[in-house]
Amino acid sequence: MQKIEKEQERKRNFCLVLYPDCPEHNELITRIACNEYNFDYAGICHDKDITDEGDPKKPHYHFVVHLNNACTRSALAKNLGIEERLVQDCKDYKGALMYLVHYKNQDKAQYSADLVFGSLSEKVRELTAKPNETMACLIILDLLDSIDSKITFSGFMRLCCARGLYSTFRRNNNFFIQAVFEHNSKFER
């Protein structure tokens, strides 16, 4: 059996980058938004991105596309009437959806999930509704501050687990051991 070349692999998920200052891209953005292609998608305009040198990037649209029938990158590009370089394989579907708002990419401009449009926009909102690591740590610290007595480390861990914060608690447990120690020292006589 001959191996299929990477360029000929048929897939269902792709990422697109389109520039609204290009008339062909602008027309395609409109056709996608009007669901002319009958595929599921989520899109957003990135108009606050900055280059590594600190200069503003020109506005561009990111799309994550989920097709009903698998096809190759080149076939999708041809069907959409764009250069193949503007179509990328989507290696991590959920990650690509979260990237639309730069979720967990704090060094990049942050976009509201409310700006995402398309049939997959609700999926983006679901994926990004969870607090990021920083917010989860602050929630855990607020939880600890709300306790008005000493608490065991295992008891505090149970409280965090009950609130769905175990993964953040686990990844930062050395920090939280110290936080519980400091908390408990306030109640020593």
Side-chain angles (χ1 to χ4, degrees):
M1 179 183 254
Q2 188 178 7
K3 240 185 180 180
I4 298 174
E5 289 186 38
K6 193 166 183 90
E7 292 297 316
Q8 298 303 320
E9 286 184 42
R10 297 170 56 81
K11 300 188 178 195
R12 291 180 184 267
N13 300 320
F14 294 92
C15 298
L16 312 174
V17 177
L18 302 171
Y19 296 88
D21 63 345
C22 171
E24 293 82 14
H25 290 196
N26 201 32
E27 181 183 333
L28 179 57
I29 292 165
T30 301
R31 290 188 350 237
I32 291 172
C34 291
N35 202 24
E36 187 175 310
Y37 294 99
N38 198 29
F39 51 58
D40 288 324
Y41 74 93
I44 189 170
C45 179
H46 281 193
D47 56 2
K48 298 185 291 184
D49 290 358
I50 304 293
T51 66
D52 291 338
E53 293 77 30
D55 299 319
K57 289 184 179 180
K58 69 180 184 174
H60 55 283
Y61 281 80
H62 285 277
F63 286 93
V64 177
V65 173
H66 175 76
L67 306 174
N68 294 323
N69 299 309
C71 72
T72 63
R73 271 182 58 219
S74 59
L76 180 59
K78 184 177 180 181
N79 186 37
L80 297 176
I82 57 174
E83 299 172 44
E84 193 172 333
R85 68 179 178 82
L86 299 170
V87 179
Q88 299 298 317
D89 292 340
C90 181
K91 295 174 177 70
D92 176 5
Y93 179 65
K94 287 182 180 179
L97 288 170
M98 291 188 294
Y99 179 80
L100 294 175
V101 295
H102 289 156
Y103 187 73
K104 294 188 178 182
N105 287 287
Q106 298 301 320
D107 55 329
K108 295 184 178 238
Q110 298 297 292
Y111 295 93
S112 168
D114 294 333
L115 298 173
V116 177
F117 57 94
S119 56
L120 296 174
S121 60
E122 190 56 38
K123 182 73 172 168
V124 173
R125 284 188 256 301
E126 288 172 17
L127 290 169
T128 59
K130 298 175 190 170
N132 65 29
E133 188 81 5
T134 301
M135 292 306 296
C137 283
L138 291 173
I139 291 167
I140 291 171
L141 289 173
D142 287 345
L143 175 62
L144 184 59
D145 288 343
S146 71
I147 300 168
D148 58 1
S149 63
K150 280 187 171 185
I151 188 166
T152 65
F153 187 72
S154 61
F156 186 58
M157 183 175 131
R158 287 179 192 277
L159 288 174
C160 292
C161 290
R163 286 168 176 77
L165 298 166
Y166 172 73
S167 61
T168 299
F169 183 86
R170 179 184 50 80
R171 284 191 297 276
N172 299 283
N173 77 14
N174 286 336
F175 170 75
F176 292 121
I177 288 170
Q178 181 63 34
V180 168
F181 175 78
E182 289 174 8
H183 170 83
N184 286 341
S185 69
K186 293 187 282 187
F187 298 98
E188 292 181 2
R189 298 176 191 198

